[in-house]
Amino acid sequence: MSSIQTNQFIDGAPTDEAQLPLALDFSHHISELGKARRPFPIKSVFKYFGRPGLLAMAGGLPHPQYIPFESLETSLLRADAFSTLDGGNMSPLDVPTKDGPPTNPKMLDKERLVVPKWPSHSSEDVNISRALQYDLARGLQVLQEYLHDYSKRFFKPAYRDFATLVHTGNTDGWSRVIMTLLNPGDGLLMEEWTYTAAISAAQPLGVRIVPVPMDCQGFKPEALGDLLANWDEKERGFKRPRLLYTNPIGQNPCGVTVGRERKKQIYQLAVKYDFVICEDDPYYYLQEGKYVSPNERQPGESSSGVDAFFQELEPSYLSFDSTGHVIRMDTFSKTLGPGLRLGWFTCNPLIAERLERHGEISSQAPAGLSQAVVTQLLVNQWGLEGWVTWLRGLRAQYSARRDALVDALLAEIDFEVGDGDGMFSGSKVYRKEFRPTTGGVTGENTGMTVRFVPPTSGMFCWIQVQFNGFPDPIAVAGLEETAATHEGRLWTKLADEGLLILPGWMFCAAKEVLINEHPNKIGYYRISYSDPTREEMKKAAKVLRNVLQEYCEIFGLHQ
């Protein structure tokens, strides 16, 4: 390990590491496909590379002189380009156009990042001749060591033999997890509303998704416990699920934050019923906190220091994991750029080894250019202090974006605030009743009820629309079932009026969820605040208000 890495992490290492337990044996969790994977023979000889005097004539490695890239150079924003204080530096959401010139002086002051073709001092230096060569599926050694120490210091697994493994983004990582742990016909526990790509990855593999009720703090522990305790294999037709997928911070699509106590409760159930938790956490650093109205909003302050920043964040499931029941997936997609396709697993060593075997014959290894840029940035350019400064700035920016969207909604629609119930239980909910003003539909129970809870992390706001007293829409030949519902019709009308958001059916974990919340009775919509400007958010709120009222009027005229 380089001296830079040692200096960065030595003060965070636990003093009682030797007293931590080893992970349990998870061989019974490996799927038949996972068990069948063998080390890729050619990759097994890589352990000899770098040995002095070795005549390396085993692999078809292109000679590095034939790689035309002589250096990789780019200009780079400063780590402190964005303010960590509300109301500080100008935010991109205040720029009139997304491709407009930067207005923040710090965004004009660029750094230069260079990755040379050849190592400068030792073979461990980040260099193109190595990064663009065939390599091990676990990633560049210097990056692998950095991420292992990073997980150890900040996510704090409660057992000592955990492993880290670089992967090509969490979507690919999740596909690997499913195929490594589940056989066709096995059960998979998911939030009733969850990440649509996670659903799409599981369905073609013959996995049976079991939705679990949730509230504003994530999975309901009582509901999950009852489900598992009363599992009837004969009635269900398959064994009790052995894998749980969760998106605990900035939950996609609902924007909720799963806190310490709730995570501890879910982990205890994982140990009791022996299921693996896959913690997919791309929005981990975007923990924005509770929404505060503009007249009560105070300039926020963030404590200084690397460890102090992480202490402000909700802990990972790993911090409770003394057995190896947690697979954590991290990614650079939301912090550096999704096109990098780079992230990492932190999990028990047996599962990590099986995941590596999968990677050897799929991606072979994460893209060398992405690894080189990220490694050079984190290890040699910014270091931990710079990285955490950047993360603080991102958190402040997304907090401002969340505030801007909620401010716009509240300014355009006169919501009332009350106690939430159902999936909104435990939080204050914003509620608005829309009534038709013309036509034959009248009465307090006719119209549309719009509800939402401001997100506490991530990039999305989840809005519920109840269709009260409206008959089902008339079926239209050729129209997909989801588009023919009130949820689908309202979504189409919003899109036609220039507001493109996503309908709830895309995030529904299983059809049985729709039995109680049929999209002709209750619709859901995910609104993203990650990209639009402040003015665009104001326009969106106005379109939403107008379309909701128009939809009420349409059904008022036709009854």
Side-chain angles (χ1 to χ4, degrees):
M1 183 183 296
S2 69
S3 60
I4 292 177
Q5 291 170 299
T6 301
N7 291 339
Q8 286 177 342
F9 290 101
I10 191 169
D11 63 324
T15 57
D16 58 347
E17 180 181 353
Q19 299 176 19
L20 294 176
L22 298 173
L24 300 179
D25 180 2
F26 278 76
S27 56
H28 61 291
H29 276 284
I30 306 301
S31 68
E32 294 304 316
L33 177 61
K35 293 175 183 176
R37 297 193 189 278
R38 297 291 180 267
F40 186 36
I42 293 179
K43 295 288 187 181
S44 66
V45 307
F46 274 59
K47 63 184 178 182
Y48 294 101
F49 280 77
R51 181 176 294 181
L54 179 71
L55 301 175
M57 303 172 67
L61 279 65
H63 193 285
Q65 294 284 16
Y66 301 154
I67 296 175
F69 304 99
E70 285 298 306
S71 68
L72 177 63
E73 301 183 25
T74 182
S75 58
L76 181 71
L77 291 177
R78 285 171 41 176
D80 62 351
F82 300 112
S83 173
T84 60
L85 301 179
D86 294 337
N89 292 341
M90 183 72 75
S91 169
L93 78 159
D94 291 310
V95 178
T97 59
K98 299 182 184 68
D99 56 354
T103 54
N104 180 347
K106 290 185 178 179
M107 295 176 67
L108 298 173
D109 185 8
K110 304 291 197 303
E111 297 180 11
R112 183 166 170 264
L113 184 145
V114 179
V115 180
K117 182 164 187 176
W118 308 104
S120 302
H121 303 96
S122 72
S123 60
E124 288 188 356
D125 287 348
V126 182
N127 62 88
I128 290 179
S129 64
R130 174 63 187 274
L132 293 188
Q133 195 53 270
Y134 288 113
D135 211 334
L136 296 172
R138 67 175 66 104
L140 293 176
Q141 184 67 22
V142 65
L143 179 59
Q144 182 77 7
E145 292 175 348
Y146 179 95
L147 295 176
H148 184 276
D149 289 340
Y150 187 95
S151 290
K152 177 180 178 180
R153 176 171 174 175
F154 300 122
F155 302 138
K156 305 183 187 303
Y159 62 102
R160 68 177 182 269
D161 58 339
F162 74 92
T164 52
L165 176 68
V166 181
H167 59 59
T168 56
N170 284 11
T171 301
D172 172 65
W174 171 234
S175 294
R176 287 201 220 178
V177 169
I178 301 172
M179 287 187 273
T180 299
L181 297 185
L182 298 183
N183 297 306
D186 282 349
L188 168 63
L189 299 164
M190 305 185 89
E191 291 125 338
E192 55 187 348
W193 304 100
T194 192
Y195 178 38
T196 183
I199 300 170
S200 298
Q203 287 175 333
L205 301 176
V207 173
R208 304 187 186 193
I209 296 175
V210 180
V212 180
M214 56 186 296
D215 58 20
C216 285
Q217 299 180 60
F219 286 112
K220 292 182 178 180
E222 300 82 3
L224 179 57
D226 289 344
L227 175 71
L228 298 173
N230 299 304
W231 189 267
D232 189 327
E233 182 178 337
K234 185 176 180 180
E235 179 182 339
R236 292 271 188 169
F238 56 101
K239 295 181 179 179
R240 193 166 56 201
R242 296 182 292 104
L243 177 62
L244 177 146
Y245 171 87
T246 183
N247 188 199
I249 301 295
Q251 197 267 357
N252 186 357
C254 301
V256 305
T257 302
V258 183
R260 177 186 300 271
E261 289 306 312
R262 184 65 64 93
K263 284 179 177 174
K264 187 175 181 179
Q265 290 174 304
I266 300 300
Y267 172 73
Q268 289 170 343
L269 289 172
V271 174
K272 181 177 180 178
Y273 293 103
D274 193 24
F275 61 81
V276 174
I277 297 172
C278 183
E279 181 182 24
D280 181 6
D281 223 355
Y283 310 102
Y284 181 72
Y285 305 105
L286 309 184
Q287 299 187 31
E288 299 139 6
K290 290 185 177 182
Y291 169 79
V292 178
S293 60
N295 59 333
E296 298 177 351
R297 204 171 293 160
Q298 299 293 329
E301 294 188 11
S302 182
S303 56
S304 61
V306 170
D307 290 285
F309 172 73
F310 281 87
Q311 290 168 5
E312 297 169 0
L313 305 177
E314 293 291 349
S316 165
Y317 273 102
L318 285 173
S319 65
F320 307 107
D321 187 15
S322 60
T323 55
H325 276 87
V326 176
I327 301 172
R328 180 178 172 84
M329 297 195 303
D330 283 282
T331 178
F332 293 105
S333 292
K334 307 303 186 290
T335 53
L336 295 179
L340 290 168
R341 305 316 309 147
L342 192 64
W344 76 99
F345 297 106
T346 306
C347 59
N348 72 65
L350 185 147
I351 290 179
E353 187 272 337
R354 292 290 88 192
L355 293 170
E356 183 177 356
R357 298 290 80 78
H358 185 147
E360 286 176 343
I361 49 81
S362 57
S363 60
Q364 287 208 18
L369 285 176
S370 295
Q371 290 193 76
V373 169
V374 172
T375 304
Q376 189 77 331
L377 175 66
L378 298 184
V379 176
N380 298 325
Q381 189 97 3
W382 278 356
L384 268 179
E385 290 286 351
W387 173 238
V388 169
T389 298
W390 176 256
L391 295 178
R392 279 199 180 98
L394 286 184
R395 183 177 64 173
Q397 290 292 305
Y398 280 99
S399 296
R401 288 184 170 277
R402 185 275 312 273
D403 290 347
L405 176 62
V406 178
D407 290 349
L409 291 173
L410 299 186
E412 199 64 46
I413 303 172
D414 55 336
F415 285 96
E416 296 179 350
V417 183
D419 294 329
D421 58 9
M423 74 171 302
F424 295 131
S425 62
S427 292
K428 294 295 183 182
V429 65
Y430 288 80
R431 175 190 177 106
K432 168 64 178 177
E433 300 286 349
F434 284 84
R435 306 290 187 197
T437 59
T438 59
V441 176
T442 58
E444 293 183 0
N445 297 323
T446 302
M448 294 157 62
T449 304
V450 180
R451 303 197 305 166
F452 80 100
V453 171
T456 53
S457 53
M459 298 179 171
F460 309 113
C461 183
W462 187 238
I463 291 184
Q464 180 194 76
V465 178
Q466 298 176 7
F467 303 98
N468 306 317
F470 290 169
D472 294 349
I474 299 174
V476 177
L479 197 62
E480 292 185 10
E481 180 182 356
T482 51
T485 63
H486 278 306
E487 179 185 75
R489 295 281 184 91
L490 178 58
W491 174 77
T492 300
K493 185 166 180 58
L494 285 165
D496 289 343
E497 294 298 322
L499 175 57
L500 186 61
I501 55 180
L502 291 183
W505 66 263
M506 292 185 178
F507 305 93
C508 182
K511 288 185 176 180
E512 60 194 86
V513 175
L514 301 181
I515 295 175
N516 295 323
E517 297 189 276
H518 193 280
N520 274 332
K521 304 301 180 186
I522 300 178
Y524 289 95
Y525 303 90
R526 192 195 77 173
I527 303 178
S528 171
Y529 51 87
S530 62
D531 188 47
T533 65
R534 193 183 303 274
E535 287 305 311
E536 288 171 335
M537 293 184 199
K538 292 178 180 179
K539 291 178 182 178
K542 183 171 293 187
V543 172
L544 179 63
R545 181 204 63 190
N546 292 341
V547 170
L548 287 169
Q549 188 61 52
E550 288 172 12
Y551 200 83
C552 266
E553 302 300 341
I554 291 171
F555 276 85
L557 287 170
H558 289 82
Q559 304 311 310

